[in-house]
Amino acid sequence: MASKATTMKVSFGGLQLDLRLGARDIVRVERRLNESMVNMFVSSEGGMKLPPANKLLIVLQEANQTHGVSDDDLIEAFDKFLSAGKTPMDLMKIVQDLLDQAGFLGSKTEATKTEKVSGNVVSLDTPTEPTSDLD
C-alpha cells in the first residue's frame, strides 16, 4: 500500500524540495542518525536542544521526493540559505514543520480503527525470503 502522506513544498537555498515523511522515510532517517528523530530535539536531561545542522540536513535529504538532489547539493543549498541571512534555527523550523505535517509530533485526528495488514511482510532488521502459508 502506498503512503498517503502529503508533500510539503520548500524553497531551500535555491533548491525546490518536495518533502514527505512516510514510514519508510522515517526508518531511513533514523538508520542514518542512529537515533530516533525525537531524540534530536530532546537532551538527556529532558530539555529541548538544537540538533546539529548535519542531522537536520539528513532529515531533509531522506524526506526529499525531488529526484537527483545529492547530499552535496543540500550542503551547497544550506550555504546559500545561510548566506541569505537565514539561521540554523530557520532550518530547524522547516524540519519541525515537516514532522508536524507528518503527524510525527502528535496526530491531529484520532484513529478510529486498527487495520490488519496481510500479505507482504516488511522486516525492519534483515531481509528474509517470503514465506508461504502452506508450509
Side-chain angles (χ1 to χ4, degrees):
M1 177 183 286
S3 172
K4 300 222 184 230
T6 59
T7 60
M8 183 174 102
K9 297 192 181 298
V10 174
S11 179
F12 179 72
L15 294 175
Q16 297 302 315
L17 304 176
D18 288 323
L19 305 175
R20 181 186 69 218
L21 275 177
R24 291 182 190 279
D25 307 309
I26 292 167
V27 169
R28 282 195 317 268
V29 168
E30 292 182 345
R31 278 186 184 156
R32 282 187 73 182
L33 295 176
N34 200 29
E35 68 178 341
S36 84
M37 284 194 285
V38 172
N39 283 349
M40 288 190 326
F41 297 99
V42 180
S43 71
S44 59
E45 294 83 31
M48 295 301 291
K49 69 177 183 177
L50 175 64
N54 70 314
K55 290 185 177 187
L56 296 171
L57 291 172
I58 286 170
V59 173
L60 285 187
Q61 178 65 331
E62 294 303 328
N64 180 38
Q65 306 301 307
T66 305
H67 214 33
V69 178
S70 68
D71 285 0
D72 284 340
D73 295 334
L74 270 181
I75 292 169
E76 287 180 32
F78 184 48
D79 190 38
K80 291 177 185 175
F81 183 79
L82 295 174
S83 295
K86 302 287 186 175
T87 68
M89 289 295 290
D90 295 318
L91 174 57
M92 186 172 87
K93 175 76 169 101
I94 292 170
V95 172
Q96 285 179 320
D97 289 347
L98 175 64
L99 293 174
D100 187 44
Q101 180 190 15
F104 202 86
L105 302 176
S107 177
K108 294 179 182 166
T109 60
E110 290 186 34
T112 57
K113 66 179 184 175
T114 303
E115 290 185 32
K116 182 177 179 185
V117 179
S118 62
N120 295 338
V121 176
V122 177
S123 171
L124 296 175
D125 296 317
T126 57
T128 59
E129 293 297 317
T131 60
S132 169
D133 292 335
L134 301 176
D135 290 345

